[in-house]
Amino acid sequence: MQVLADAVAAAAGLLLVLVLLLVGVRAAALRRASREQEFRPAAEAALAGYLAGTGGAPSLDRRGERDVFLAIAQEALTDLRGAERDRLVALLLRLGFTEDAIQGLRAHRTAVRRRAAETLAALATPLAAPAVAAGLDDRDLLVRTTCAGTLAETGSPDVLPSALAVAARDAAAAPGRAACVVLAVARRRPDALAPLLRADAPPAIRRIAVTVAADLRLAELSGLLLACLDGPDELAAPAAYGLGRIGEFGASGALARLAAD
């Protein structure tokens, strides 16, 4: 009976802890929602005025203003192009958001590192390249794949193999994120995909690389696509599609044999 009583008491204590945790999470969410409702209209107006040239840089003095302003700026960065985007990135740099994100990548909490990686991805500034490169070794999948995508888009050519290595590592667990990295690299340096199309490449990343090379009609990789025709259907089908789109006459015989199979 004593053992049963102890087990019940332990279960009750655990339940109380869970309830208190849920209450704390709920309270924090309500505070965030309240701050956003309070600050968002003024922050949106300040950002619009700055981009239009009718206002100066906003002052973010009150607690919570920085988080709300950064969220609005990140939303805007997805739509802005050219001079307006450059102007907004320069503002965020001047207000210290890039430095905050660089420090955030070294934080202990996973959630903080994820937010920092997303911020640096949105800013896409070469100034943060060393910190983003360090994020490729992060223990969290979302952090390192986000950093790999950022480097694939904005990093120097010498870091592209490292970004692709992360994509290869996580292709099975996060195929969508790996595909984004491969696609970004393919648009900048198609020849960098060659190692991923070879027979010794991990199957998950090889499938992605073949599909990307086929969709983008990367003629410089046609020889490696031709070799994929002898592989399983999941490789042969996109490879055949890509060779047909490229117009690789040297593959005609192999494509005819594949069609007759």
Side-chain angles (χ1 to χ4, degrees), residues 158-170:
D158 61 295
V159 301
L160 297 184
S162 298
L164 288 176
V166 172
R169 170 185 175 181
D170 295 315

Side-chain angles (χ1 to χ4, degrees), residues 44 53 67 89 93 118 152 154 171 174 179-180 187 193 207 221 225:
E44 288 177 339
D67 291 342
V89 170
L93 286 169
E118 290 168 359
T154 64
C180 289
R187 287 172 171 164
L193 296 190
R207 287 194 299 270
L221 299 177
L225 290 176

Side-chain angles (χ1 to χ4, degrees), residues 170-196:
D170 295 315
R177 287 178 171 267
C180 289
V181 176
V182 173
L183 181 60
V185 172
R187 287 172 171 164
R188 297 183 60 195
R189 277 196 58 190
D191 60 296
L193 296 190
L196 303 185

